[in-house]
Amino acid sequence: MPSQELVAIDTQQVSEAERADYWRANVCDTFVPLLVRPACDDIGGRIAGSSLAETHVRRIRAVGHEFERRPADIRRSDPEVLHFMVLNRGVTQVDQDGRTATLHPGDLLFYDSSRPFRFITPNALDYTIALLPKRLLPVSEQSVRSGTARTLSGNEGLPAVARDLARALARHAISDAAERQLALQHTLVGFLAALLPGEAAQTPSGAIHRRLARSFIEHHLGDPDLSPADIAAACSISVSYLHRLFADDGWTVAGYLRERRLQAAYEELAGGRNPGEPVSAVGHRCGLVDPSHFSRLFKARFDLPPGELRRTSGALPGSNVEPSSTAG
């Protein structure tokens, strides 16, 4: 059965009196907090799209607008996402990082949530936008900064493929298993990384696979049966290659998985959530289902039992340690 378009926002769903506030609030929630200034009082707009693991792809259609992300908006909330935009209709001007780009239908552009930007579309607008967490992209900050607000033609070659893929993902609800979603996200990440200045030659494919593997692990920490074979299959690589990727960072796959589970348990216990819940339930939720094994691992890692951490959490900082060295 064909996939159905996901309609997240439609101004026709609310009364005319509520329309302006409804539209502004939902644009900010769907993308990033910013100034939303319609070109006319008769606001009409619609947002549709789908999600792939941690990546969101949206299509927004509306009357003419000016959108501006200001320093105060960034201080309020920064999801640290790199946006990839396809202009489907109209003419749009985009300002960021000291550059101004003018887009016509079919053109592409990157912009970054972490720095101010402004969009001006005088007449009816139609954008397709992919929002990718920057930590998934194996690109340097310098490459991101040098790649924003630069018009790319989507008429041929790799940009045309990236344009068509983004449009297709925005049109269809993706309900496949997590492994399929990771594979599609991997494809999109690879295409977009290759479009950034200098990254096609500098970015090793292993960096992309490593980040995707870590992303898959984060989303499946609670699965006690998660195995290297599951992770490798989700990233469309062999188990032996997966082990080599983690070994390059001084880790075994099992050691990295164990460390992330322990850190997740630490953060939950130190945060004081669900104080009446058995400590063993926290371990179970983090994929460490044997209570005595969880307690032994936790004490060995953090020098105190999990129950003691919960009792003294007000006096202890969270671990928040990024795994960086061998842990078995």
Side-chain angles (χ1 to χ4, degrees), residues 25-328:
N26 281 287
V27 167
C28 292
D29 289 344
T30 304
F31 297 98
V32 291
L34 76 175
L35 175 69
V36 179
R37 184 180 292 131
C40 61
D41 294 332
D42 185 15
I43 297 175
R46 193 166 183 255
I47 302 171
S50 65
S51 297
L52 295 172
E54 297 178 83
T55 300
H56 307 292
V57 187
R58 303 286 184 250
R59 184 179 182 186
I60 175 171
R61 287 165 281 184
V63 298
H65 271 71
E66 178 180 347
F67 300 105
E68 183 177 3
R69 184 154 165 82
R70 302 156 296 183
D73 300 317
I74 297 170
R75 290 193 296 270
R76 172 184 162 197
S77 173
D78 183 15
E80 296 190 358
V81 293
L82 183 65
H83 299 77
F84 171 72
M85 188 186 90
V86 179
L87 185 66
N88 301 313
R89 186 173 71 160
V91 177
T92 293
Q93 176 182 301
V94 180
D95 300 318
Q96 189 170 51
D97 293 327
R99 290 182 292 273
T100 298
T102 301
L103 285 78
H104 296 87
D107 286 342
L108 322 173
L109 178 134
F110 287 101
Y111 63 101
D112 191 337
S113 71
S114 300
R115 293 181 303 285
F117 61 77
R118 184 175 62 168
F119 278 55
I120 299 176
T121 306
N123 300 311
L125 64 86
D126 187 341
Y127 314 148
T128 297
I129 301 175
L131 296 82
L132 293 95
K134 288 190 288 185
R135 61 184 176 78
L136 293 183
L137 284 160
V139 299
S140 64
E141 177 63 21
Q142 180 181 357
S143 180
V144 170
R145 283 180 178 268
S146 63
T148 56
R150 294 188 186 277
T151 303
L152 301 171
S153 173
N155 290 331
E156 59 183 9
L158 185 59
V161 177
R163 177 202 63 194
D164 292 345
L165 178 59
R167 284 174 170 172
L169 291 174
R171 284 198 304 268
H172 301 286
I174 308 299
S175 57
D176 287 326
E179 292 80 2
R180 292 273 186 94
Q181 290 208 8
L182 259 292
L184 284 170
Q185 179 176 258
H186 177 197
T187 300
L188 187 60
V189 165
F191 274 128
L192 299 190
L195 291 175
L196 287 164
E199 293 298 340
Q202 299 174 12
T203 302
S205 61
I208 297 176
H209 287 123
R210 186 181 297 108
R211 293 188 185 216
L212 290 173
R214 289 187 174 197
S215 173
F216 186 78
I217 287 171
E218 290 300 314
H219 279 76
H220 295 82
L221 286 178
D223 179 1
D225 298 320
L226 183 63
S227 70
D230 297 327
I231 301 165
C235 299
S236 302
I237 58 177
S238 69
V239 174
S240 60
Y241 183 50
L242 176 73
H243 284 301
R244 287 201 301 274
L245 290 175
F246 279 78
D248 288 344
D249 283 344
W251 284 93
T252 64
V253 177
Y256 181 88
L257 177 58
R258 180 173 64 247
E259 174 69 7
R260 288 302 307 134
R261 284 172 166 162
L262 288 170
Q263 287 191 23
Y266 187 108
E267 291 161 9
E268 186 167 340
L269 290 167
R273 297 188 292 274
N274 304 314
E277 182 182 54
V279 167
S280 59
V282 176
H284 195 285
R285 193 157 48 245
C286 296
L288 298 166
V289 297
D290 184 296
S292 59
H293 183 59
F294 167 52
S295 184
R296 286 196 302 272
L297 289 176
F298 194 95
K299 185 175 181 180
R301 173 63 178 85
F302 300 113
D303 296 323
L304 78 170
E308 184 176 342
L309 171 63
R310 171 177 276 171
R311 289 191 297 273
T312 60
S313 60
L316 291 172
S319 65
N320 196 27
V321 177
E322 172 63 22
S324 59
S325 60
T326 302

